[in-house]
Amino acid sequence: MANENIETSFQDALDAGQIAGAIICVSDAKGHFVYNRTLGERTLLSGEKKPHQLDDVVFLASATKLLTTIAALQCVEDGLLSLTGDLSSVAPELAAKQVITGFSEDGETPLLEPLARPITLEMLLSHSSGFVYHFLNPLVARWREKFGQDLDKSGRLPVEELYSYPLAFQPGAGWMYGTGVDWAGRIVERATGKTLGERMHERIFGPLGITDAQFYPVTREDLRARQVDLNPSDPDGLGRAVIGGDGEPNMRTKGDFGGHGLFMTAADYVKILQSLMANDGKILKPAMVDDMFEPHHLSPEATKGHRAALASPTGVYFLVGTAPELKSTFGFGGHLTLEDVEGWYGERTLSWGGGLTLAWFIDRKHDLCGICAIQASLPSHNAAITTLKQIFRTDVYRKHAAWKNGHRSS
């Protein structure tokens, strides 16, 4: 994999039927180095096939979390929220949460304990609040199976009802990936009096000249016409291929879910990465952007929990292509490297992804950021897609280095 390139490897995967296509957008801060690439085709609802374009609308899945994090930090800058203060005045449900520690001997009654401390916005954004995805914690999964909310008549629930389950650990005392950013999105809505989508259009998309973005369900006809995840295999536009064939996350939601629900173009997403990398002040003040890339957002207990998660069987997903032995933590928005990787990521590179098919990174030290949105074929070829994401992450550095060497010699 070390010397494989995007063009050959992605084309081989296309020819083998392992993927349907891909959209890749990479840039430096000033847009002097740009690598944009589309491969393969998308299938329309009619069955007609069209070559991928840079303005195709893709399902971000968990890549939505970075944008929700930005929206929450904007509220901190505006004085509407605090990173470390008690949120119960905005979200009283949080103060009533309990921590699940087990079940009674007969397996019927959950064992719950009260919160030892309030849940803060910093905890929600850094996945140290205790809110976890049910499929990552057996106790929460069991509670959800026994006591989870029935869907309402429309088959959908808002964040506070869909994610009503207890915490997996005391706030700030552990780490596990979960629904905290969805809760942060709802708190942004309550603090601003606007939907999360409205707030993002006003304060993130507008300043960067982005117009093509909408939370599920995508209703704008101009976006639906370019929506990759609107095809005979996914007639409801749920994003099934992005998350491995199961459209449940969007099937059950009512409202704007800040943890996974956004659809937009890769070409526009890279504008957001570029703004953060350049620290141009368009969406966040420079000091707040710098803070996103600092390693102090996890408590010592949460740091231990994060390290344990990286070493666990699911750790490969949280490492997003980096080696387990690399010094790292979780910053605001993604996995944060704490040391250089020779020939690749610089110290304080922030990276994450979406579903099984999307990867993004911001390397401020080496002035490079990018996004790769692979369009999977169903059933999904997960191993091949994981390999391709890593080829994207590494090959763009070789292309960037070759470009710099060419400029030096010219």
Side-chain angles (χ1 to χ4, degrees):
M1 190 188 303
N3 297 310
E4 292 184 74
N5 64 62
I6 290 169
E7 289 76 10
T8 302
S9 301
F10 277 66
Q11 189 59 53
D12 287 347
L14 280 166
D15 294 343
Q18 295 173 326
I19 63 171
I23 303 169
I24 298 171
C25 297
V26 182
S27 179
D28 61 12
K30 294 185 177 179
H32 294 157
F33 171 78
V34 174
Y35 176 81
N36 291 332
R37 182 85 179 183
T38 61
L39 304 102
E41 299 176 319
R42 67 184 180 96
T43 305
L44 280 61
L45 272 175
S46 65
E48 178 189 354
K49 293 184 181 295
K50 283 191 173 182
H52 273 303
Q53 304 293 328
L54 288 175
D55 67 349
D56 284 350
V57 175
V58 300
F59 176 39
L60 296 184
S62 285
T64 304
K65 289 181 172 70
L66 176 65
L67 279 63
T68 304
T69 298
I70 294 168
L73 295 178
Q74 288 172 336
C75 289
V76 174
E77 290 186 336
D78 294 349
L80 298 174
L81 296 171
S82 161
L83 272 177
T84 56
D86 187 344
L87 292 170
S88 59
S89 63
V90 183
E93 307 99 317
L94 297 184
K97 286 292 175 184
Q98 295 176 298
V99 179
I100 188 165
T101 60
F103 277 82
S104 59
E105 289 187 12
D106 63 8
E108 293 300 316
T109 306
L111 304 179
L112 301 165
E113 61 182 32
L115 299 189
R117 63 191 66 84
I119 296 169
T120 67
L121 184 61
E122 183 175 51
M123 294 173 189
L124 293 176
L125 297 179
S126 63
H127 297 288
S128 60
S129 66
F131 283 114
V132 306
Y133 285 123
H134 67 276
F135 51 83
L136 294 174
N137 183 280
L139 289 178
V140 173
R142 191 169 169 188
W143 186 96
R144 180 178 179 265
E145 185 178 343
K146 293 181 73 68
F147 306 107
Q149 291 276 5
D150 291 329
L151 298 182
D152 64 9
K153 291 182 180 178
S154 69
R156 302 183 179 280
L157 294 170
V159 169
E160 53 268 49
E161 293 181 42
L162 189 59
Y163 299 144
S164 62
Y165 19 92
L167 306 185
F169 48 81
Q170 286 287 350
W175 188 94
M176 183 46 68
Y177 194 50
T179 60
V181 181
D182 292 284
W183 277 95
R186 281 295 286 132
I187 288 165
V188 168
E189 292 184 327
R190 292 180 185 182
T192 63
K194 298 180 178 181
T195 69
L196 188 56
E198 289 169 345
R199 181 72 173 179
M200 286 183 179
H201 273 281
E202 179 185 284
R203 295 292 298 275
I204 301 175
F205 305 147
L208 297 179
I210 297 169
T211 58
D212 293 349
Q214 190 173 23
F215 276 90
Y216 184 87
V218 177
T219 56
R220 278 176 47 186
E221 287 302 325
D222 61 321
L223 300 187
R224 287 173 64 85
R226 291 178 277 134
Q227 187 179 350
V228 173
D229 295 286
L230 186 63
N231 54 58
S233 297
D234 195 354
D236 297 317
L238 293 167
R240 291 180 186 275
V242 175
I243 46 183
D246 179 5
E248 181 179 308
N250 284 327
M251 200 181 295
R252 295 167 58 87
T253 58
K254 179 193 288 183
D256 298 350
F257 273 59
H260 73 262
L262 199 60
F263 290 72
M264 68 186 299
T265 73
D268 282 340
Y269 196 89
V270 82
K271 293 178 184 177
I272 298 165
L273 305 180
Q274 194 177 18
S275 178
L276 294 175
M277 185 169 67
N279 209 355
D280 56 20
K282 291 182 179 179
I283 54 178
L284 283 173
K285 295 174 183 176
M288 186 64 83
V289 173
D290 287 342
D291 195 51
M292 292 178 68
F293 293 80
E294 289 296 326
H296 58 233
H297 297 296
L298 297 182
S299 70
E301 295 86 358
T303 296
K304 290 179 184 176
H306 182 245
R307 289 173 181 158
L310 295 183
S312 73
T314 54
V316 63
Y317 298 106
F318 308 141
L319 287 163
V320 284
T322 63
E325 62 271 18
L326 182 74
K327 292 179 183 177
S328 66
T329 186
F330 199 88
F332 277 162
H335 182 258
L336 185 68
T337 64
L338 297 180
E339 59 184 347
D340 293 341
V341 182
E342 186 177 355
W344 190 31
Y345 285 167
E347 181 184 353
R348 308 290 177 91
T349 293
L350 194 68
S351 64
W352 205 245
L356 301 171
T357 61
L358 194 146
W360 63 262
F361 71 91
I362 305 170
D363 185 345
R364 299 206 297 174
K365 185 169 184 177
H366 292 137
D367 189 27
L368 196 64
C369 64
I371 179 173
C372 172
I374 296 171
Q375 311 311 321
S377 300
L378 291 176
S380 185
H381 298 263
N382 295 342
I385 290 169
T386 297
T387 298
L388 292 173
K389 287 190 295 185
Q390 194 65 2
I391 291 169
F392 152 72
R393 295 182 184 113
T394 52
D395 189 37
V396 293
Y397 277 79
R398 287 191 289 272
K399 295 181 190 306
H400 186 226
W403 174 83
K404 286 197 294 185
N405 290 334
H407 274 253
R408 290 193 191 104
S409 61
S410 61

